Amino acid sequence: MPKSGGFLTPKAIANRIKAKGLQKLRWYCQMCQKQCRDENGFKCHLTSESHQRQLLLFADNEEEFLDTFSNDFLDTFMELLRRRFNTRRVHSNIVYNEYISDRDHTHMNSTKWETLTEFVKWLGREGYCVVDHTEKGWFITYIDRDPETLRRQEAMKKKDKMDLDDEERIMKHIQEQVSRGESYGSKQTEFTELKRDDEEEKVTFSFGSSASMSAGGSQESQTIQNKKSNILQAAAAVGTKKKEGSRKESGKRKSALEEIMEEEAKKKAKLVEKKDYWLRKGIIVKITTKRLGDKYFKKKGVVKDVIDRYTGVIKLIDLGSKVKIDQVHLETVIPGIGKPICIVNGDYRGVTGTLHSLDEKNFCITVKSESGKLIEGQAYEDVCKYSLEDS
């Protein structure tokens, strides 16, 4: 009686279940991409005609096949490391176990690396990863060299350099005021010796014994008393003037604490809460993402419309096509000196004018408004090139 066979027999179902799971790597033929389930099946495959033909092809150009398998293994391994772990430090065996969980992966025994340790050392030498060896084994850290990531990191560094911490700035200012107050206190009053001028008028007294001199003596004494009173009044007037002048000078001089309070009040008056949206109709922006394709990357366009404050309809200048994109994937454009510009964020939001000057050291510019007023200290991200035709 013949054996009962079919697609739904228990044996056929069991074979399909076994084929779905992972098998032993030593029973896998990379050239034929065939997985055998046992030693006997693998031996039969090695003696098969199809396998012999693949071996002949490999013998003709073995370097090319070996490089192809090695490159496939490297690309897939690095893609998994970047996507799954990114720049975190991770054990190499953990990454390799996740890599081989895919039954269609390129096996290491078909590459130029014989062991995982040799492959990890090669990654460290070539600069793909940061490799370190511990008692627990080999650990790897992915090095992200994506241009978009590097550009974002550089922009963050510039922003951190430009935006100093408020507390650090206040402490620095207070220290300057304290040192200035100490320099004022170090100046002591210098006392000089009292000297009388030679030309100063001298007071003389004369006494007479005869009766004939009595009338003249009384007149001279009266004149002397008048002179004394005049001298005393003049000295008192000079003293009062000096006191009033010193009071005025002391009233004008401000203490270090008063100067600090005044400057802090001025700073608070200048501080304005910035909005988290800055798109405006008529400004010229640049696309900073590759999600739309390489032909749109780094292209400039004019904002034709703003949707929900954060999304803009951009008409590309070179291509003429329109795209709808979020402001996260856009950046402002700085025009040349004398060109139209618009302030898109901050205290003077919405003011238009021309670019007056650039301060590359502090990453800010000076805008000359349409009324002729100079607006200084505007950050790069708060201003954008303006199109008068599309305003």
Side-chain angles (χ1 to χ4, degrees):
M1 186 175 181
K3 294 182 180 180
S4 61
F7 184 75
L8 298 177
T9 58
K11 185 175 182 180
I13 295 173
N15 289 336
R16 287 197 298 273
I17 293 174
K18 291 177 182 178
K20 286 183 180 179
L22 294 175
Q23 306 294 324
K24 290 186 178 181
L25 297 180
R26 65 184 182 185
W27 296 334
Y28 181 81
C29 178
Q30 185 66 52
M31 284 296 299
C32 303
Q33 297 182 357
K34 179 176 177 59
Q35 176 69 59
C36 300
R37 290 200 296 268
D38 51 17
E39 187 74 26
N40 185 34
F42 188 64
K43 287 182 179 180
C44 293
H45 172 71
L46 294 179
T47 58
S48 63
E49 185 179 354
S50 60
H51 180 73
Q52 296 298 327
R53 284 197 300 267
Q54 293 294 332
L55 288 182
L56 292 176
L57 293 176
F58 180 79
D60 291 339
N61 196 354
E62 59 183 55
E63 292 294 334
E64 182 179 355
F65 281 99
L66 197 62
D67 292 340
T68 301
F69 293 144
S70 300
N71 292 333
D72 292 343
F73 179 84
L74 175 63
D75 294 341
T76 311
F77 188 89
M78 295 303 296
E79 178 65 21
L80 173 64
L81 180 62
R82 182 192 65 81
R83 186 181 66 254
R84 177 70 174 80
F85 302 99
N86 205 354
T87 56
R88 289 183 296 168
R89 182 173 175 267
V90 63
H91 200 285
S92 58
N93 281 335
I94 296 177
V95 185
Y96 182 71
N97 288 333
E98 290 199 15
Y99 172 76
I100 65 175
S101 62
D102 181 12
R103 65 190 304 269
D104 295 327
H105 70 276
T106 303
H107 291 65
M108 182 176 285
N109 56 9
S110 62
T111 64
K112 60 183 178 181
W113 304 288
E114 296 181 358
T115 60
L116 179 62
T117 301
E118 184 181 349
F119 174 66
V120 170
K121 291 180 179 179
W122 183 87
L123 290 178
R125 289 194 303 268
E126 296 296 326
Y128 287 95
C129 301
V130 177
V131 178
D132 58 318
H133 183 260
T134 63
E135 296 178 354
K136 296 183 179 179
W138 290 91
F139 286 83
I140 55 178
T141 305
Y142 178 71
I143 301 176
D144 193 355
R145 291 191 175 89
D146 185 24
E148 186 70 17
T149 304
L150 296 177
R151 188 198 62 79
R152 194 182 303 111
Q153 291 176 355
E154 188 67 23
M156 290 298 294
K157 288 181 181 179
K158 290 183 180 179
K159 188 174 182 181
D160 293 340
K161 184 179 179 181
M162 183 176 61
D163 298 334
L164 294 176
D165 189 27
D166 293 339
E167 184 177 357
E168 182 182 353
R169 215 179 331 174
I170 292 173
M171 291 301 295
K172 183 179 179 181
H173 182 66
I174 292 175
Q175 187 65 28
E176 291 178 357
Q177 296 297 332
V178 170
S179 61
R180 191 184 303 173
E182 290 177 354
S183 64
Y184 287 155
S186 62
K187 295 181 180 179
Q188 298 180 355
T189 305
E190 295 181 359
F191 298 96
T192 59
E193 184 181 357
L194 178 61
K195 295 181 180 180
R196 175 176 287 180
D197 296 335
D198 296 336
E199 297 178 358
E200 187 177 356
E201 184 179 358
K202 297 180 180 181
V203 180
T204 59
F205 299 93
S206 63
F207 299 94
S209 59
S210 62
S212 61
M213 297 293 290
S214 61
S218 62
Q219 291 179 358
E220 288 180 357
S221 63
Q222 186 68 27
T223 56
I224 290 170
Q225 288 180 359
N226 292 333
K227 288 181 180 180
K228 286 182 179 180
S229 62
N230 292 334
I231 292 171
L232 292 174
Q233 289 177 0
V238 171
T240 54
K241 288 182 180 179
K242 287 183 178 180
K243 288 182 180 179
E244 290 177 358
S246 62
R247 287 177 183 175
K248 289 181 179 179
E249 290 179 358
S250 62
K252 291 181 180 179
R253 183 179 295 175
K254 298 179 182 179
S255 63
L257 181 60
E258 290 177 350
E259 291 181 0
I260 294 173
M261 293 176 65
E262 287 184 1
E263 292 192 8
E264 291 300 323
K266 291 179 181 179
K267 288 182 180 180
K268 288 182 180 179
K270 291 182 179 180
L271 289 176
V272 176
E273 183 181 359
K274 292 185 179 181
K275 306 293 184 181
D276 58 347
Y277 55 90
W278 54 270
L279 281 180
R280 294 183 66 84
K281 187 177 179 181
I283 62 175
I284 298 176
V285 295
K286 183 189 292 185
I287 299 176
T288 60
T289 181
K290 292 184 178 180
R291 296 182 179 178
L292 301 176
D294 292 336
K295 70 175 184 177
Y296 294 104
F297 183 59
K298 296 292 185 181
K299 295 296 182 181
K300 296 180 182 179
V302 182
V303 178
K304 289 295 185 179
D305 194 11
V306 179
I307 304 172
D308 299 333
R309 296 181 178 179
Y310 301 96
T311 306
V313 178
I314 314 299
K315 183 179 180 181
L316 300 178
I317 298 175
D318 297 338
L319 303 177
S321 58
K322 292 184 179 181
V323 293
K324 182 179 178 183
I325 188 170
D326 192 87
Q327 69 172 11
V328 178
H329 305 298
L330 300 172
E331 68 177 12
T332 58
V333 177
I334 304 300
I337 302 295
K339 297 297 183 180
I341 197 170
C342 178
I343 301 177
V344 297
N345 213 340
D347 191 8
Y348 300 94
R349 182 185 181 94
V351 176
T352 58
T354 57
L355 179 59
H356 183 265
S357 62
L358 277 169
D359 187 359
E360 298 181 357
K361 183 177 180 181
N362 297 319
F363 302 99
C364 59
I365 67 172
T366 300
V367 178
K368 185 176 182 181
S369 63
E370 294 178 352
S371 61
K373 180 181 178 182
L374 293 180
I375 305 173
E376 301 178 349
Q378 297 298 313
Y380 284 173
E381 63 269 16
D382 294 340
V383 295
C384 189
K385 187 176 181 181
Y386 191 61
S387 177
L388 297 176
E389 298 177 357
D390 299 293
S391 61

